Amino acid sequence: MDYAQRANAVMSRIHELACISEDPHCVTRTFGSSAFISGCSKVMKWMQEAGLQARIDNIGNVRGRWPSTQPNARTLVIASHIDTVKNAGKFDGPMGVIMGLDLITHLQQERINLPFNIELIAFSDEEGVRFHTTYLGSTAITGKFNDALLDKTDSAGISLRNAIKTMGGDVDQLAADAIPEDEWLGYYEIHIEQGPVLYEQHIPVAIVQGIAGQHRIRVRFHGMGGHAGTVPMEMRKDALCATAEFILAVERFGLEHNKDLVATVGTVEVKDAASNVIPGEVTCTLDVRSTDQVLLKKARRYLKDIASQICAERQLTADWDIIQKAKPVECDTALSHLLAQGITAAGYNVKNLVSGAGHDAVMVGAVAPVCMLFVRCYKGISHHPEENVEVADIAAALQVSEHFIHRLAEVYKKR
């Protein structure tokens, strides 16, 4: 089977998995939902059909292992995620998992004796939609899971602990699912770019040099609710107006530093909202990203001060809760060099990019060398139903990835 045929088979499975959704009108598959559980079962079945040692671990990661015949072999993890944002595209995450399965299947058909194990992982929660904390699956794999998160609750008041139990997981065994640090060989992820560079430059693939650090913060403004018809304008303590002012301040700061940083308020929740009630409490989420760790810290401090100033002027108070902090990650030079050789061998020019989006590689980077391959996507659109990838670009990525695995095997055999 040539790469175009393989790419079509990959595309078929991407569409098949996209049909498993919480919403019949769009792709939504959030952590722990019935659609998510069905999607995991589908992916595990595909892994089993490929002859992998497949299982679903306690955090909901789907894991398929192809062991090496060599004793004490280390493990190369090929991974991405299968959870989605709400009203998502089909390719963000699942493409990397399904392409990884295709790679392993065809390496097996070559009867190649790799000097390392390969473990394919479909991570359970990279997006962080349900519990507002990303990388649940990869933190468990790397042994970095924070048990304090088990008490976090979703919008329905269900704790992460109970969500894991509902999926059939055992919270007391999460640590046992980790791959020990000394067993890692490396980490490889194929992912859509989620940006327009490759699309505009007509390039099918690129090497990821690094991943931006990310801070997620929950800001809750406390004012005073009241009757919309009876409280004079000058006497109001409107939490929504304070939030609006803060949102615009975040935008201004982002524009002032637009070459090195992005800042976004993605959600706003008005407590006890009604058209005839002055908002007394409003919660919003702040997402700040940069490859510059110093600037990232500076931004967080500055925006916290801005929130305090707004409150002082409006006679409100605010809670500032850091939900998650992830440092910028540099991809491994040696693995990226082999990936560059794979791109050249496949007949393409080498392009390097930095990822502004977060990936599970951020967590894995703390315990193992990581590398990533970006694949061109339509106009750079992502987290949206119009997200799309051409079959030809999937074929290119498969070819590059195969060259990469062969070169990694050659290097590792010499050690």
Side-chain angles (χ1 to χ4, degrees):
M1 186 185 293
D2 63 21
Y3 290 110
Q5 288 177 301
R6 288 169 58 181
N8 275 306
V10 167
M11 184 70 82
S12 178
R13 281 186 163 175
I14 290 171
H15 290 310
E16 186 176 346
L17 186 59
C19 292
I20 302 175
S21 174
E22 298 164 47
D23 187 331
H25 305 293
C26 64
V27 181
T28 300
R29 198 168 49 249
T30 56
F31 175 80
S33 66
S34 59
F36 171 80
I37 294 170
S38 295
C40 288
S41 297
K42 172 70 72 176
V43 172
M44 186 170 72
K45 180 184 176 184
W46 288 337
M47 290 183 180
Q48 290 170 335
E49 290 172 350
L52 302 184
Q53 299 170 358
R55 66 188 178 100
I56 298 175
D57 69 14
N58 290 288
I59 199 73
N61 297 317
V62 189
R63 303 169 65 169
R65 188 171 179 84
W66 181 27
S68 171
T69 58
Q70 295 196 11
N72 304 315
R74 290 190 173 187
T75 299
L76 172 69
V77 171
I78 299 176
S80 198
H81 60 96
I82 58 169
D83 68 308
T84 74
V85 296
K86 296 179 181 178
N87 194 29
K90 300 175 181 178
F91 298 86
D92 174 6
M95 184 190 73
V97 175
I98 295 168
M99 288 181 68
L101 185 54
D102 174 272
L103 278 171
I104 295 170
T105 300
H106 285 82
L107 287 168
Q108 289 174 324
Q109 291 174 358
E110 292 178 23
R111 300 188 181 279
I112 183 173
N113 184 16
L114 291 176
F116 46 80
N117 313 305
I118 293 184
E119 184 159 349
L120 176 66
I121 303 178
F123 286 124
S124 60
D125 187 16
E126 189 260 10
E127 299 290 4
V129 173
R130 183 173 178 184
F131 292 97
H132 301 292
T133 180
T134 57
Y135 312 132
L136 290 178
S138 49
T139 54
I141 290 291
T142 56
K144 305 296 182 181
F145 184 82
N146 180 2
D147 287 341
L149 295 176
L150 293 171
D151 294 322
K152 283 185 68 67
T153 56
D154 63 10
S155 59
I158 299 170
S159 70
L160 175 57
R161 183 188 307 275
N162 286 334
I164 291 171
K165 289 179 180 178
T166 299
M167 290 191 296
D170 183 347
V171 295
D172 295 325
Q173 295 300 313
L174 291 174
D177 286 328
I179 299 173
E181 194 166 335
D182 60 356
E183 292 184 13
W184 285 85
L185 171 66
Y187 175 87
Y188 178 53
E189 181 168 358
I190 308 166
H191 204 282
I192 60 171
E193 182 196 350
Q194 298 180 284
V197 176
L198 294 180
Y199 182 81
E200 291 181 355
Q201 296 184 8
H202 308 289
I203 300 172
V205 294
I207 297 170
V208 179
Q209 286 184 307
I211 304 168
Q214 177 183 5
H215 289 186
R216 285 190 178 187
I217 299 126
R218 181 177 59 237
V219 188
R220 182 172 289 120
F221 290 91
H222 300 275
M224 178 62 70
H227 196 293
T230 61
V231 181
M233 295 299 295
E234 70 276 10
M235 297 177 66
R236 297 185 177 193
K237 299 180 181 180
D238 190 322
L240 185 56
C241 287
T243 305
E245 190 173 341
F246 176 72
I247 292 170
L248 292 175
V250 169
E251 181 188 40
R252 282 194 299 272
F253 184 83
L255 289 170
E256 289 168 3
H257 299 83
N258 67 339
K259 292 184 179 180
D260 304 299
L261 173 144
V262 291
T264 307
V265 174
T267 68
V268 176
E269 181 182 351
V270 181
K271 185 178 181 180
D272 300 327
S275 61
N276 61 345
V277 176
I278 301 164
E281 181 179 305
V282 178
T283 303
C284 67
T285 55
L286 172 64
D287 181 309
V288 185
R289 306 184 190 208
S290 177
T291 55
D292 185 333
Q293 177 72 354
V294 174
L295 179 58
L296 203 55
K297 291 181 178 179
K298 175 185 174 182
R300 195 181 74 232
R301 289 194 296 265
Y302 175 83
L303 292 173
K304 184 178 181 181
D305 288 343
I306 288 292
S308 297
Q309 291 173 20
I310 291 170
C311 287
E313 293 168 0
R314 292 178 171 274
Q315 296 182 302
L316 282 76
T317 60
D319 300 326
W320 182 274
D321 298 317
I322 299 173
I323 305 301
Q324 187 168 24
K325 291 193 293 183
K327 294 180 179 179
V329 170
E330 290 187 13
C331 290
D332 182 71
T333 303
L335 290 179
S336 296
H337 177 67
L338 293 177
L339 194 53
Q341 290 181 351
I343 291 174
T344 302
Y348 302 104
N349 294 325
V350 175
K351 176 74 176 180
N352 294 294
L353 292 174
V354 171
S355 177
H359 303 283
D360 288 296
V362 170
M363 292 295 105
V364 179
V367 299
V370 302
C371 67
M372 289 188 66
L373 183 73
F374 269 166
V375 181
R376 171 170 50 189
C377 61
Y378 173 68
K379 293 185 177 180
I381 296 170
S382 184
H383 286 186
H384 188 277
E386 290 186 17
E387 183 179 279
N388 194 31
V389 177
E390 295 293 330
V391 170
D393 293 336
I394 292 177
L398 288 173
Q399 187 178 10
V400 168
S401 299
E402 211 158 76
H403 283 298
F404 165 70
I405 297 296
H406 281 290
R407 278 163 170 73
L408 180 60
E410 290 169 6
V411 169
Y412 201 71
K413 283 177 182 177
K414 295 176 183 178
R415 293 183 178 180

